[in-house]
Amino acid sequence: MQELGALPDLDITQYDVHPALGRHRVLDPRSLAYRRPYTGETIRRVEWAPRVPVLNQQNLVAQGIKTSQMFDGVQDMDALGSCTANAATACLSVLLTADACMAAGLDTTDAVAAERFAIQLYADATTTDEWQNYTWPSDDCGSSGLGVAKALRHRGLIDQYGHATTAEELCVLLQTGPVLMGMPWHQAFFEPVSSLALLDEIPDWQSSPVAGGHEVCITAIESVAEIEGDIAYEHTVLRVRNSWGSWGDAGSFRMSLAVYQALRSEIDLVQPRLDRTSQ
């Protein structure tokens, strides 16, 4: 993991790109200044169901995806660090109707077609991440939640995007739609210990090394608990859509707000938004 601070206005943490992991942490103080503060709103259980099947950024060739046929001069890649775009594709499938998805080139009935859409979106995200020296194709360089949100906006698929930093702000955003979360992925996280794939249950995960940066889509607050009017972090649980096929609980995992708090300094949260009623 490498800290970069030379670029004006951006706070960047760049991770090594892994076949399953390709997120970099990029914060823009200008955008963060407009985040919606928590003012005591009631936090309720909520669920957002992506229209697309669970995607898989790995085993691309076995899925019939040949990157050599998608881009000129590129060899076939069996995995890509395209997690930001995979998470954004799941999120977009919630924001758009099925017809609007199809009009945008996103087939919500076919996981392979949707993965191809995500790979193309990954290429756009690496371009909007202007701080990078490389882009996909042909370099599997990773991208950021901010970069993929900008790519969605450049395509005209969303109107805007917002941010959160605290657990409470995150829960408020989730009342209105899914949220993209960039997080450090500890080595221990690769092996969930139960069918619930609850990160909290993994023993000593804090002491395991960080394998890379990962982007996922938070789709639900499954349970909410309070103690004397304050959110009880340990007992408020999020469900999170991953992009590794059936890994975890049918492609998703869970984590409490206590885990979020423990990782907060290395997390970034972006919520793509669509206000046009025609969608």
Side-chain angles (χ1 to χ4, degrees), residues 24 111 142 158 162 183 185 190-191 219 228 232 238 243 266 270 275:
H24 306 297
I158 63 171
M183 62 184 293
W185 193 262
F190 284 113
E191 299 293 337
T219 58
E228 297 181 353
L238 309 174
S243 54
E266 298 178 72
V270 183
D275 297 326

Side-chain angles (χ1 to χ4, degrees), residues 68-215:
S68 64
Q69 297 175 358
M70 297 179 63
F71 304 97
D72 292 336
V74 175
Q75 64 181 357
D76 286 331
M77 303 287 289
D78 200 35
L80 283 172
S82 58
C83 55
T84 57
N86 280 269
T89 298
C91 180
L92 186 67
S93 75
V94 175
L95 300 180
L96 299 181
T97 65
D99 288 344
C101 284
M102 190 63 71
L106 174 57
D107 185 346
T108 59
T109 67
D110 187 328
V112 172
E115 182 59 37
R116 289 194 180 100
F117 176 92
I119 292 171
Q120 295 280 2
L121 182 60
Y122 174 46
D124 290 354
T126 63
T127 300
T128 55
D129 272 325
E130 296 178 353
W131 56 271
Q132 288 212 82
N133 295 323
Y134 304 97
T135 60
W136 167 261
S138 56
D139 293 294
D140 187 17
C141 54
S143 56
S144 70
L146 182 62
V148 78
K150 288 181 177 180
L152 289 175
R153 190 169 184 180
H154 287 174
R155 286 191 179 194
L157 298 177
I158 63 171
D159 298 323
Q160 58 180 314
Y161 49 86
H163 302 274
T165 58
T166 70
E168 289 81 5
E169 289 173 354
L170 166 59
C171 289
V172 170
L173 288 186
L174 284 167
Q175 303 300 302
T176 61
V179 175
L180 304 182
M181 177 172 65
M183 62 184 293
W185 193 262
H186 285 255
Q187 191 68 38
F189 291 163
F190 284 113
E191 299 293 337
V193 297
S194 74
S195 60
L196 293 177
L198 179 65
L199 300 188
D200 304 57
E201 295 179 338
I202 299 173
D204 302 319
W205 66 261
Q206 296 95 328
S207 61
S208 69
V210 173
H214 196 30
E215 193 84 16

Side-chain angles (χ1 to χ4, degrees), residues 53-71:
V54 175
L55 303 182
N56 190 354
Q57 66 192 79
Q58 305 175 86
N59 307 311
L60 298 179
V61 174
Q63 295 179 68
I65 299 173
K66 295 187 176 181
T67 50
S68 64
Q69 297 175 358
M70 297 179 63
F71 304 97

Side-chain angles (χ1 to χ4, degrees), residues 9-59:
D9 298 325
L10 297 180
D11 178 3
I12 302 171
T13 302
Q14 192 169 3
Y15 295 81
D16 293 335
V17 176
H18 182 283
L21 308 171
R23 165 261 184 180
H24 306 297
R25 174 182 168 275
V26 179
L27 303 178
D28 186 342
R30 295 166 298 183
S31 295
L32 289 172
Y34 292 96
R35 71 183 188 274
R36 299 173 180 175
Y38 176 66
T39 56
E41 296 91 335
T42 300
I43 303 301
R44 297 181 173 87
R45 295 175 57 186
V46 64
E47 179 175 0
W48 305 97
R51 299 179 190 279
V52 292
V54 175
L55 303 182
N56 190 354
Q57 66 192 79
Q58 305 175 86
N59 307 311

